[in-house]
Amino acid sequence: MTQILDGKALAKTIQAQLTAKVHDWTPQVGRPPGLAVIMVGDNPASAAYVRNKERACDRVGIASFGQKLPGDTPQAYLEGLIAELNADERVDGILLQLPVPQHINDVTLLNTIDPNKDADGLHPVNLGRLVRGEPGLRSCTPLGVMQLLHANGIDIAGKQAVVIGRSILVGKPMALMLLEANATVTVAHSRTHNLSALTRSADIVVSAIGRSHFLTADHIQAGAIVVDVGINRIETSAGQYRLVGDVDYEAVSPIASAITPVPGGVGPMTVTMLLHNTVLSYCQRMPALAHERGTLLS
């Protein structure tokens, strides 16, 4: 039987653990953890993501400092806003919702965020800490994948892993986290030749390319572990829309030993790791909680 890696259920469990910790720690510190999400413009998908994150903060007991700004907000204003949030003692995590309007330099803004408040784990300092194997805030989606594998008893050490996608958001940090867990890792991308031959040799395949049903049964060896990071919106014959992954789930799931569904797999874990990073930053910044830093995700 194929093992379904249920991210929705695991996310609920982890959020419940975070809720209990925040409830216990808030009286000690005198305030709850705080997350500031900056959204520029009126992208409908971004607005939905931000609402989802705010609701998750409410469930866990994290204070939200949302900043929803017009699409023509100047770069200089955003840099000043991030500087204010860096200095705000109520704020433990800062997230810039991507994408931003074309006139905004998102790299500059991401680099302006205090690395110790970098809830998305995308600052060069945190990526450098990942490369060096040092503690730090990790990229949310890859961290969510690692937690999903760990919680389901999947031993990564010694396995051959192929990551499809090389973005700084998922592909590169995903490869580094798998390598840190002692997998042998290959990163594939749009210019990789004979991809199916490569993926058929893998024990673990992680797809993060954003192409619906790209991975078929021909790409997967029997017994492989398949992690689908892709979220693609496609139109049905009835003129409605539904979400699908990069993996042809119906074709691949009978072959795989374990697989993530879309939706309900990696997506819920990404939001949960954002909450985790905010609470972890809170612990790191509060001397009263120094002894608690190793208890998250335990």
Side-chain angles (χ1 to χ4, degrees):
M1 294 290 291
T2 302
Q3 183 179 8
I4 307 302
L5 306 179
D6 188 342
K8 187 175 181 180
L10 179 58
K12 186 176 180 179
T13 297
I14 294 174
Q15 288 187 29
Q17 293 169 350
L18 291 174
T19 301
K21 292 179 186 296
V22 169
H23 180 268
D24 289 343
W25 295 342
T26 296
Q28 297 180 45
V29 175
R31 67 167 181 85
L35 173 65
V37 178
I38 303 169
M39 189 181 85
V40 186
D42 56 0
N43 182 296
S46 292
Y49 290 143
V50 169
R51 285 194 300 272
N52 189 23
K53 291 166 184 173
E54 289 174 342
R55 285 195 294 265
C57 283
D58 288 341
R59 286 195 300 272
V60 171
I62 295 173
S64 294
F65 299 93
Q67 299 282 344
K68 299 179 180 65
L69 302 168
D72 59 356
T73 302
Q75 176 89 18
Y77 179 86
L78 292 168
E79 292 177 13
L81 173 60
I82 291 173
E84 291 177 7
L85 294 171
N86 284 341
D88 191 334
E89 288 302 315
R90 301 170 302 164
V91 175
D92 303 288
I94 302 170
L95 180 144
L96 175 67
Q97 182 65 44
L98 301 176
V100 293
Q102 288 187 346
H103 73 281
I104 300 296
N105 186 324
D106 57 354
V107 173
T108 298
L109 293 181
L110 290 171
N111 291 352
T112 302
I113 295 172
D114 179 345
N116 295 319
K117 293 189 176 186
D118 171 31
D120 241 354
L122 296 179
H123 193 284
V125 168
N126 285 319
L127 292 170
R129 288 168 176 163
L130 173 58
V131 170
R132 292 175 59 88
E134 298 173 354
L137 298 174
R138 301 294 197 233
S139 303
C140 295
T141 298
L143 181 60
V145 171
M146 297 301 290
Q147 289 302 314
L148 199 50
L149 296 174
H150 174 73
N152 283 276
I154 295 172
D155 184 12
I156 298 167
K159 287 186 168 60
Q160 299 283 337
V162 171
V163 177
I164 309 172
R166 51 180 170 176
S167 73
I168 204 68
L169 188 65
V170 180
K172 289 176 181 176
M174 184 79 260
L176 288 167
M177 289 184 199
L178 288 166
L179 186 63
E180 189 176 41
N182 297 316
T184 299
V185 184
T186 301
V187 178
H189 46 79
S190 60
R191 297 191 180 184
T192 299
H193 294 296
N194 202 2
L195 178 63
S196 60
L198 186 65
T199 55
R200 279 198 303 269
S201 69
D203 304 305
I204 301 172
V205 178
V206 181
S207 182
I209 55 172
R211 293 175 61 181
S212 60
H213 292 161
F214 176 78
L215 257 69
T216 66
D218 292 338
H219 289 88
I220 306 298
Q221 70 165 322
I225 298 152
V226 180
V227 178
D228 192 349
V229 180
I231 300 179
N232 309 286
R233 189 168 177 259
I234 65 170
E235 187 173 5
T236 67
S237 57
Q240 298 177 328
Y241 290 90
R242 65 186 182 98
L243 295 179
V244 299
D246 292 346
V247 177
D248 185 343
Y249 185 87
E250 297 301 324
V252 171
S253 56
I255 301 170
S257 64
I259 190 169
T260 59
V262 176
V266 176
M269 292 300 297
T270 298
V271 174
T272 300
M273 292 304 100
L274 173 67
L275 305 178
H276 162 268
N277 281 350
T278 301
V279 176
L280 178 60
S281 174
Y282 175 71
C283 285
Q284 292 172 335
R285 298 177 64 247
M286 298 295 111
L289 300 179
H291 62 291
E292 302 282 5
R293 293 170 191 170
T295 66
L296 296 182
L297 297 179
S298 56

